[in-house]
Coordinates of all heavy atoms in Angstrom, one line a residue:
M1 N -112.3 202.8 6.3 CA -111.0 203.1 5.8 C -110.6 202.2 4.7 O -110.7 201.0 4.8 CB -110.0 203.0 7.0 CG -108.6 203.2 6.5 SD -107.5 203.3 8.0 CE -106.6 204.7 7.5
P2 N -110.2 202.7 3.5 CA -109.8 201.9 2.4 C -108.6 201.1 2.7 O -107.7 201.4 3.6 CB -109.4 202.9 1.3 CG -110.0 204.2 1.8 CD -110.1 204.1 3.2
S3 N -108.5 199.9 2.1 CA -107.3 199.0 2.3 C -107.0 198.4 0.9 O -107.8 198.3 0.0 CB -107.6 198.0 3.3 OG -108.6 197.1 2.9
I4 N -105.7 198.0 0.7 CA -105.3 197.3 -0.5 C -105.8 195.9 -0.4 O -105.6 195.2 0.5 CB -103.8 197.3 -0.6 CG1 -103.3 198.8 -0.8 CG2 -103.4 196.5 -1.8 CD1 -101.8 198.9 -0.9
D5 N -106.6 195.5 -1.5 CA -107.2 194.2 -1.6 C -106.4 193.3 -2.5 O -106.4 192.1 -2.3 CB -108.6 194.4 -2.1 CG -109.4 193.1 -2.1 OD1 -109.5 192.5 -1.1 OD2 -109.9 192.8 -3.2
A6 N -105.8 193.9 -3.5 CA -105.1 193.1 -4.5 C -104.0 193.9 -5.1 O -104.2 195.2 -5.2 CB -106.0 192.5 -5.6
I7 N -102.9 193.3 -5.6 CA -101.9 194.0 -6.3 C -101.6 193.3 -7.6 O -101.4 192.1 -7.6 CB -100.6 194.1 -5.4 CG1 -100.8 194.8 -4.1 CG2 -99.4 194.7 -6.2 CD1 -99.6 194.7 -3.2
G8 N -101.7 194.0 -8.7 CA -101.4 193.4 -10.0 C -100.1 194.0 -10.5 O -99.8 195.2 -10.3
M9 N -99.2 193.2 -11.1 CA -98.0 193.7 -11.7 C -97.6 192.8 -12.8 O -98.0 191.7 -13.0 CB -96.9 193.7 -10.6 CG -96.5 192.3 -10.1 SD -95.2 192.4 -8.8 CE -96.3 192.8 -7.4
V10 N -96.8 193.4 -13.7 CA -96.2 192.7 -14.8 C -94.7 192.6 -14.5 O -94.1 193.5 -14.0 CB -96.4 193.5 -16.1 CG1 -95.7 192.8 -17.3 CG2 -97.9 193.7 -16.4
A11 N -94.2 191.4 -14.7 CA -92.8 191.2 -14.3 C -92.1 190.3 -15.4 O -92.7 189.4 -15.9 CB -92.7 190.4 -13.0
R12 N -90.9 190.7 -15.8 CA -90.1 189.9 -16.7 C -89.6 188.6 -16.0 O -89.4 187.6 -16.7 CB -89.0 190.7 -17.3 CG -89.4 191.8 -18.2 CD -88.3 192.4 -19.0 NE -88.9 193.4 -19.8 CZ -88.4 194.6 -20.1 NH1 -87.1 194.8 -19.7 NH2 -89.0 195.4 -20.9
D13 N -89.3 188.7 -14.8 CA -88.7 187.6 -14.0 C -89.7 187.4 -12.8 O -89.4 187.9 -11.7 CB -87.3 187.9 -13.6 CG -86.6 186.7 -12.9 OD1 -87.3 185.8 -12.5 OD2 -85.4 186.7 -12.8
L14 N -90.7 186.6 -13.0 CA -91.7 186.4 -12.0 C -91.2 185.8 -10.7 O -91.4 186.3 -9.6 CB -92.9 185.7 -12.5 CG -94.1 185.6 -11.6 CD1 -94.7 186.9 -11.2 CD2 -95.2 184.8 -12.2
P15 N -90.4 184.7 -10.8 CA -89.8 184.1 -9.6 C -89.0 185.2 -8.7 O -89.1 185.2 -7.5 CB -88.9 183.0 -10.1 CG -89.6 182.6 -11.4 CD -90.0 183.9 -12.0
A16 N -88.2 186.0 -9.4 CA -87.4 187.0 -8.7 C -88.3 188.0 -8.1 O -88.1 188.5 -6.9 CB -86.4 187.6 -9.6
T17 N -89.3 188.4 -8.8 CA -90.3 189.5 -8.3 C -91.0 188.9 -7.1 O -91.2 189.6 -6.1 CB -91.2 189.9 -9.4 OG1 -90.5 190.4 -10.5 CG2 -92.2 190.9 -8.9
L18 N -91.5 187.7 -7.2 CA -92.2 187.1 -6.0 C -91.3 187.0 -4.8 O -91.7 187.2 -3.7 CB -92.8 185.7 -6.4 CG -94.0 185.8 -7.4 CD1 -94.3 184.4 -7.9 CD2 -95.2 186.4 -6.8
A19 N -90.1 186.5 -5.1 CA -89.1 186.4 -4.0 C -88.9 187.7 -3.3 O -88.8 187.8 -2.0 CB -87.8 185.8 -4.5
F20 N -88.8 188.8 -4.1 CA -88.6 190.2 -3.5 C -89.8 190.5 -2.6 O -89.6 191.0 -1.5 CB -88.5 191.2 -4.6 CG -88.4 192.6 -4.2 CD1 -87.2 193.1 -3.7 CD2 -89.5 193.4 -4.2 CE1 -87.2 194.5 -3.2 CE2 -89.5 194.7 -3.8 CZ -88.4 195.2 -3.3
Y21 N -91.0 190.4 -3.1 CA -92.2 190.8 -2.3 C -92.4 189.9 -1.1 O -92.9 190.3 -0.1 CB -93.4 190.9 -3.2 CG -93.3 192.2 -4.0 CD1 -92.9 192.2 -5.4 CD2 -93.6 193.4 -3.4 CE1 -92.8 193.3 -6.1 CE2 -93.5 194.6 -4.2 CZ -93.1 194.6 -5.5 OH -93.0 195.7 -6.2
R22 N -92.1 188.6 -1.3 CA -92.2 187.7 -0.1 C -91.2 188.1 1.0 O -91.4 188.1 2.2 CB -92.0 186.3 -0.5 CG -93.2 185.7 -1.3 CD -92.9 184.3 -1.7 NE -94.2 183.8 -2.3 CZ -94.2 183.1 -3.5 NH1 -93.1 182.8 -4.1 NH2 -95.4 182.7 -3.9
A23 N -90.0 188.6 0.5 CA -88.9 189.0 1.5 C -89.4 190.3 2.2 O -89.0 190.5 3.3 CB -87.6 189.3 0.7
L24 N -90.3 191.1 1.6 CA -90.8 192.2 2.2 C -91.9 191.9 3.2 O -92.4 192.7 4.0 CB -91.5 193.2 1.2 CG -90.5 194.0 0.3 CD1 -91.2 194.8 -0.7 CD2 -89.6 194.9 1.2
G25 N -92.3 190.6 3.2 CA -93.3 190.2 4.2 C -94.7 189.9 3.6 O -95.6 189.6 4.4
L26 N -94.9 190.0 2.3 CA -96.2 189.8 1.7 C -96.4 188.3 1.7 O -95.6 187.5 1.3 CB -96.3 190.3 0.3 CG -96.3 191.8 0.2 CD1 -96.4 192.3 -1.2 CD2 -97.5 192.4 1.0
A27 N -97.6 187.8 2.2 CA -97.9 186.4 2.2 C -98.5 186.0 0.8 O -99.7 186.2 0.6 CB -98.9 186.1 3.3
I28 N -97.7 185.6 -0.1 CA -98.1 185.2 -1.4 C -98.0 183.6 -1.5 O -96.9 183.1 -1.4 CB -97.2 185.8 -2.5 CG1 -97.2 187.3 -2.4 CG2 -97.7 185.3 -3.9 CD1 -96.2 188.0 -3.3
P29 N -99.2 183.0 -1.6 CA -99.2 181.5 -1.6 C -98.5 180.9 -2.8 O -98.4 181.6 -3.9 CB -100.6 181.1 -1.5 CG -101.4 182.3 -2.0 CD -100.5 183.5 -1.7
A30 N -97.9 179.7 -2.7 CA -97.1 179.1 -3.8 C -98.0 178.1 -4.6 O -97.6 177.8 -5.7 CB -96.0 178.3 -3.2
E31 N -99.1 177.7 -4.2 CA -99.8 176.7 -5.1 C -101.3 177.0 -5.1 O -102.0 177.1 -4.1 CB -99.6 175.3 -4.5 CG -98.3 174.7 -4.6 CD -97.8 174.6 -6.1 OE1 -98.6 174.5 -7.1 OE2 -96.6 174.6 -6.3
S32 N -101.8 177.1 -6.4 CA -103.3 177.4 -6.6 C -104.1 176.1 -6.7 O -105.2 176.1 -6.4 CB -103.5 178.3 -7.8 OG -102.9 177.7 -9.0
D33 N -103.5 175.0 -7.3 CA -104.2 173.8 -7.5 C -104.8 173.2 -6.2 O -106.0 172.8 -6.2 CB -103.4 172.7 -8.1 CG -103.1 173.0 -9.6 OD1 -103.1 174.2 -10.0 OD2 -102.7 172.1 -10.3
A34 N -104.0 173.2 -5.2 CA -104.5 172.7 -3.9 C -105.7 173.5 -3.3 O -106.6 172.9 -2.8 CB -103.4 172.6 -2.9
L35 N -105.6 174.8 -3.5 CA -106.7 175.6 -3.0 C -108.0 175.4 -3.8 O -109.1 175.4 -3.3 CB -106.3 177.1 -3.1 CG -107.2 178.1 -2.5 CD1 -107.6 177.8 -1.1 CD2 -106.6 179.5 -2.6
V36 N -107.8 175.2 -5.2 CA -109.0 175.0 -6.0 C -109.7 173.7 -5.5 O -110.9 173.6 -5.4 CB -108.6 174.9 -7.5 CG1 -109.7 174.3 -8.3 CG2 -108.2 176.2 -8.0
E37 N -108.9 172.6 -5.3 CA -109.4 171.3 -4.9 C -110.1 171.5 -3.5 O -111.1 170.8 -3.2 CB -108.4 170.3 -4.9 CG -107.9 169.9 -6.3 CD -109.1 169.5 -7.2 OE1 -110.0 168.7 -6.7 OE2 -109.2 170.0 -8.3
R38 N -109.5 172.2 -2.6 CA -110.1 172.5 -1.3 C -111.5 173.1 -1.4 O -112.4 172.7 -0.8 CB -109.2 173.3 -0.4 CG -109.7 173.5 1.0 CD -108.6 174.1 1.9 NE -109.3 175.1 2.7 CZ -109.0 176.3 2.9 NH1 -107.9 176.8 2.4 NH2 -109.6 177.1 3.7
L39 N -111.6 174.2 -2.3 CA -112.8 174.9 -2.4 C -113.9 173.9 -3.1 O -115.0 173.9 -2.8 CB -112.6 176.1 -3.3 CG -111.8 177.2 -2.5 CD1 -111.4 178.3 -3.5 CD2 -112.7 177.8 -1.4
R40 N -113.4 173.2 -4.1 CA -114.3 172.2 -4.8 C -114.9 171.2 -3.7 O -116.1 170.9 -3.7 CB -113.6 171.5 -5.9 CG -114.5 170.6 -6.7 CD -113.8 169.6 -7.6 NE -112.6 170.1 -8.3 CZ -112.6 170.7 -9.5 NH1 -113.7 170.9 -10.2 NH2 -111.4 171.1 -10.0
G41 N -114.0 170.7 -2.9 CA -114.4 169.8 -1.8 C -115.4 170.4 -0.9 O -116.2 169.7 -0.3
L42 N -115.4 171.7 -0.7 CA -116.4 172.4 0.1 C -117.7 172.7 -0.6 O -118.6 173.3 -0.1 CB -115.8 173.7 0.7 CG -114.6 173.5 1.7 CD1 -114.0 174.8 2.0 CD2 -115.2 172.8 3.0
G43 N -117.8 172.3 -1.9 CA -119.0 172.5 -2.7 C -119.0 173.7 -3.6 O -120.1 174.0 -4.2
H44 N -117.9 174.4 -3.7 CA -117.9 175.6 -4.6 C -117.6 175.2 -6.0 O -116.8 174.3 -6.3 CB -116.9 176.6 -4.0 CG -117.2 177.1 -2.7 ND1 -118.2 177.9 -2.4 CD2 -116.6 176.7 -1.5 CE1 -118.2 178.2 -1.1 NE2 -117.3 177.4 -0.5
A45 N -118.2 175.9 -6.9 CA -118.0 175.6 -8.4 C -116.7 176.2 -8.8 O -116.2 177.2 -8.4 CB -119.1 176.3 -9.2
V46 N -116.1 175.4 -9.8 CA -114.9 175.8 -10.4 C -115.3 176.3 -11.8 O -115.8 175.5 -12.6 CB -113.8 174.7 -10.5 CG1 -112.6 175.1 -11.3 CG2 -113.5 174.2 -9.1
Q47 N -115.1 177.6 -12.1 CA -115.5 178.2 -13.4 C -114.4 177.9 -14.4 O -114.8 177.6 -15.6 CB -115.6 179.7 -13.2 CG -116.1 180.4 -14.4 CD -116.4 181.9 -14.2 OE1 -116.0 182.4 -13.1 NE2 -116.9 182.6 -15.1
R48 N -113.1 177.9 -14.1 CA -112.1 177.5 -15.0 C -111.0 176.7 -14.3 O -110.5 177.2 -13.3 CB -111.4 178.8 -15.6 CG -110.4 178.5 -16.6 CD -110.1 179.6 -17.6 NE -109.2 179.1 -18.6 CZ -108.7 179.8 -19.5 NH1 -109.0 181.1 -19.6 NH2 -107.9 179.3 -20.4
E49 N -110.8 175.5 -14.7 CA -109.9 174.6 -14.1 C -108.5 175.2 -14.2 O -108.2 176.0 -15.0 CB -109.9 173.2 -14.8 CG -111.2 172.5 -14.7 CD -111.4 172.0 -13.3 OE1 -110.5 171.8 -12.5 OE2 -112.6 171.8 -12.9
P50 N -107.6 174.8 -13.2 CA -106.2 175.3 -13.2 C -105.5 175.1 -14.6 O -105.7 174.0 -15.2 CB -105.5 174.5 -12.1 CG -106.6 174.2 -11.2 CD -107.8 173.9 -12.1
W51 N -104.8 176.1 -15.0 CA -104.1 176.0 -16.3 C -102.8 176.9 -16.2 O -102.7 177.7 -15.4 CB -104.9 176.5 -17.5 CG -105.5 177.9 -17.4 CD1 -106.5 178.3 -16.5 CD2 -105.0 179.0 -18.0 NE1 -106.7 179.6 -16.7 CE2 -105.8 180.1 -17.6 CE3 -104.0 179.2 -19.0 CZ2 -105.6 181.4 -18.1 CZ3 -103.9 180.5 -19.5 CH2 -104.7 181.6 -19.0
D52 N -101.8 176.6 -17.1 CA -100.6 177.3 -17.1 C -100.7 178.5 -18.1 O -100.8 178.3 -19.3 CB -99.4 176.4 -17.6 CG -99.1 175.3 -16.6 OD1 -99.5 175.4 -15.4 OD2 -98.5 174.3 -17.0
A53 N -100.8 179.7 -17.5 CA -100.9 180.9 -18.3 C -99.6 181.3 -19.0 O -98.5 181.0 -18.4 CB -101.4 182.1 -17.4
A54 N -99.7 181.9 -20.1 CA -98.5 182.3 -20.9 C -97.6 183.3 -20.1 O -96.4 183.4 -20.4 CB -98.9 182.9 -22.2
W55 N -98.1 184.0 -19.1 CA -97.4 185.0 -18.4 C -96.7 184.4 -17.2 O -96.1 185.1 -16.3 CB -98.2 186.2 -18.0 CG -99.5 185.8 -17.3 CD1 -99.6 185.7 -15.9 CD2 -100.8 185.6 -17.9 NE1 -100.9 185.3 -15.7 CE2 -101.6 185.3 -16.8 CE3 -101.3 185.6 -19.2 CZ2 -103.0 185.0 -17.0 CZ3 -102.6 185.3 -19.4 CH2 -103.4 185.0 -18.3
G56 N -96.6 183.1 -17.1 CA -95.8 182.4 -16.0 C -96.5 182.1 -14.7 O -95.9 182.0 -13.7
Q57 N -97.9 182.0 -14.8 CA -98.6 181.7 -13.6 C -99.5 180.5 -13.8 O -99.9 180.2 -14.9 CB -99.5 182.8 -13.1 CG -98.7 184.0 -12.7 CD -99.6 185.2 -12.3 OE1 -100.6 185.4 -12.9 NE2 -99.3 185.9 -11.2
R58 N -99.8 179.7 -12.7 CA -100.8 178.7 -12.7 C -102.1 179.4 -12.3 O -102.1 180.1 -11.3 CB -100.4 177.6 -11.7 CG -101.3 176.5 -11.7 CD -101.0 175.5 -12.8 NE -101.8 174.3 -12.7 CZ -102.2 173.6 -13.7 NH1 -101.8 173.8 -14.9 NH2 -102.9 172.5 -13.4
Y59 N -103.1 179.3 -13.1 CA -104.3 180.2 -13.0 C -105.5 179.4 -12.9 O -105.6 178.3 -13.6 CB -104.3 181.1 -14.2 CG -104.9 182.5 -14.0 CD1 -104.1 183.5 -13.6 CD2 -106.3 182.7 -14.1 CE1 -104.6 184.8 -13.4 CE2 -106.8 184.0 -14.0 CZ -106.0 185.0 -13.6 OH -106.5 186.3 -13.4
A60 N -106.5 179.8 -12.1 CA -107.8 179.1 -12.1 C -108.9 180.2 -11.6 O -108.5 181.2 -11.1 CB -107.8 178.0 -11.1
T61 N -110.1 179.9 -11.9 CA -111.2 180.7 -11.4 C -112.3 179.9 -10.7 O -112.7 178.9 -11.3 CB -111.9 181.5 -12.6 OG1 -110.9 182.2 -13.3 CG2 -112.9 182.5 -12.1
V62 N -112.6 180.3 -9.5 CA -113.7 179.6 -8.7 C -114.8 180.6 -8.6 O -114.6 181.8 -8.8 CB -113.2 179.1 -7.4 CG1 -112.1 178.0 -7.6 CG2 -112.6 180.2 -6.5
V63 N -116.0 180.1 -8.2 CA -117.1 181.0 -8.0 C -117.5 181.1 -6.5 O -117.6 180.1 -5.8 CB -118.3 180.3 -8.8 CG1 -119.6 181.2 -8.6 CG2 -118.0 180.1 -10.2
D64 N -117.6 182.4 -6.1 CA -118.0 182.6 -4.7 C -119.5 182.3 -4.5 O -120.2 182.1 -5.4 CB -117.5 184.0 -4.2 CG -118.4 185.1 -4.7 OD1 -119.4 184.9 -5.4 OD2 -118.0 186.3 -4.5
P65 N -119.9 182.4 -3.2 CA -121.3 182.1 -2.9 C -122.4 182.9 -3.6 O -123.5 182.5 -3.7 CB -121.4 182.3 -1.4 CG -120.0 182.0 -0.9 CD -119.1 182.6 -2.0
V66 N -122.0 184.1 -4.1 CA -123.0 185.0 -4.8 C -122.8 184.9 -6.3 O -123.5 185.7 -7.0 CB -123.0 186.4 -4.2 CG1 -123.4 186.5 -2.8 CG2 -121.7 187.1 -4.5
G67 N -122.0 184.0 -6.8 CA -121.8 183.9 -8.2 C -120.7 184.7 -8.9 O -120.6 184.6 -10.1
S68 N -119.9 185.4 -8.1 CA -118.8 186.1 -8.7 C -117.6 185.2 -8.9 O -117.3 184.4 -8.0 CB -118.4 187.3 -7.8 OG -119.5 188.2 -7.6
G69 N -116.9 185.4 -10.0 CA -115.7 184.7 -10.3 C -114.5 185.3 -9.4 O -114.4 186.5 -9.3
V70 N -113.7 184.4 -8.9 CA -112.6 184.7 -8.1 C -111.3 184.1 -8.7 O -111.3 182.8 -8.8 CB -112.7 184.3 -6.6 CG1 -111.5 184.6 -5.8 CG2 -114.0 184.9 -6.0
D71 N -110.4 184.9 -9.1 CA -109.2 184.3 -9.8 C -108.2 183.9 -8.7 O -107.9 184.7 -7.8 CB -108.6 185.3 -10.7 CG -109.5 185.7 -11.9 OD1 -110.3 184.8 -12.3 OD2 -109.4 186.8 -12.4
L72 N -107.6 182.7 -8.9 CA -106.6 182.2 -8.0 C -105.3 182.0 -8.9 O -105.5 181.5 -10.0 CB -107.0 180.9 -7.4 CG -108.3 180.9 -6.6 CD1 -108.6 179.5 -6.1 CD2 -108.1 181.9 -5.4
Y73 N -104.2 182.4 -8.4 CA -103.0 182.2 -9.3 C -101.8 182.1 -8.4 O -101.7 182.5 -7.3 CB -102.8 183.3 -10.3 CG -102.9 184.7 -9.7 CD1 -101.8 185.4 -9.2 CD2 -104.2 185.4 -9.6 CE1 -101.9 186.6 -8.6 CE2 -104.3 186.6 -9.1 CZ -103.2 187.3 -8.6 OH -103.3 188.5 -8.0
A74 N -100.8 181.4 -9.0 CA -99.5 181.2 -8.3 C -98.4 181.1 -9.4 O -98.7 180.8 -10.5 CB -99.5 179.9 -7.5
A75 N -97.2 181.3 -9.0 CA -96.1 181.2 -10.0 C -95.9 179.8 -10.4 O -96.1 178.9 -9.6 CB -94.8 181.7 -9.3
L76 N -95.5 179.6 -11.6 CA -95.2 178.3 -12.1 C -93.9 177.8 -11.6 O -93.0 178.5 -11.3 CB -95.1 178.3 -13.7 CG -96.5 178.4 -14.4 CD1 -96.2 178.6 -15.9 CD2 -97.3 177.2 -14.2

């Protein structure tokens, strides 16, 4: 059975949008840097170090065990 794996959206007010969806019960984590460091500590490669994206997110890319890039992001 198909399931939703990710939701992408464009928002003019990202903090308000995140607050709305968190109020609906979606578990959206607040910090990407700590997760990147946790994965690095477990031996996973970091493809792109955390950076502040122009669209209002802290963004990073780590590499999964088969070499695929996985994007991690959180509101600034």
Side-chain angles (χ1 to χ4, degrees):
M1 172 171 228
S3 64
I4 294 176
D5 184 56
I7 298 171
M9 67 183 78
V10 176
R12 289 189 181 149
D13 186 344
L14 189 57
T17 301
L18 289 171
F20 173 81
Y21 284 100
R22 285 179 176 134
L24 287 176
L26 293 177
I28 302 171
E31 292 300 334
S32 59
D33 288 23
L35 186 53
V36 168
E37 289 308 314
R38 184 172 141 228
L39 290 169
R40 186 192 321 268
L42 292 171
H44 299 286
V46 177
Q47 185 174 7
R48 183 158 189 186
E49 294 292 333
W51 59 286
D52 293 339
W55 53 88
Q57 292 178 322
R58 186 78 173 155
Y59 212 91
T61 303
V62 296
V63 180
D64 76 3
V66 297
S68 298
V70 177
D71 294 332
L72 304 174
Y73 49 90
L76 286 173

